Amino acid sequence: MPSTTNSASWDFNPSDSVRLSATFSFDTEDTQDAAPVAAALAAIQARLASATVTATQSDPATITVTVTI
């Protein structure tokens, strides 16, 4: 599975809601895939069950939120 990194910055207010959205596309016609697309869906769903979210503050103005599946 690929590893992707995206960033967003804003003047944060503690009452702000934060939404994370990710979209994955699979080529169902690629005969070189190691597993059928249905197997990929099952694998992603299994990883979501044990996803971790961490927040770290590297300096007074920077908070990093990491989601790992």
Side-chain angles (χ1 to χ4, degrees), residues 10-38:
W10 69 95
D11 186 9
F12 183 72
N13 179 322
S15 63
D16 287 346
S17 61
V18 179
R19 180 175 180 268
L20 170 68
S21 177
T23 302
F24 301 91
S25 297
F26 297 91
D27 181 358
T28 59
E29 302 300 318
D30 185 353
T31 59
Q32 300 302 312
D33 284 342
V37 173

Side-chain angles (χ1 to χ4, degrees), residues 1-8 20-24 64-68:
M1 181 172 286
S3 176
T4 62
T5 301
N6 292 292
S7 298
L20 170 68
S21 177
T23 302
F24 301 91
T64 301
V65 177
T66 303
V67 179
T68 305

Side-chain angles (χ1 to χ4, degrees), residues 16 28 38 47 53 69:
D16 287 346
T28 59
R47 290 180 184 195
V53 179
I69 61 168

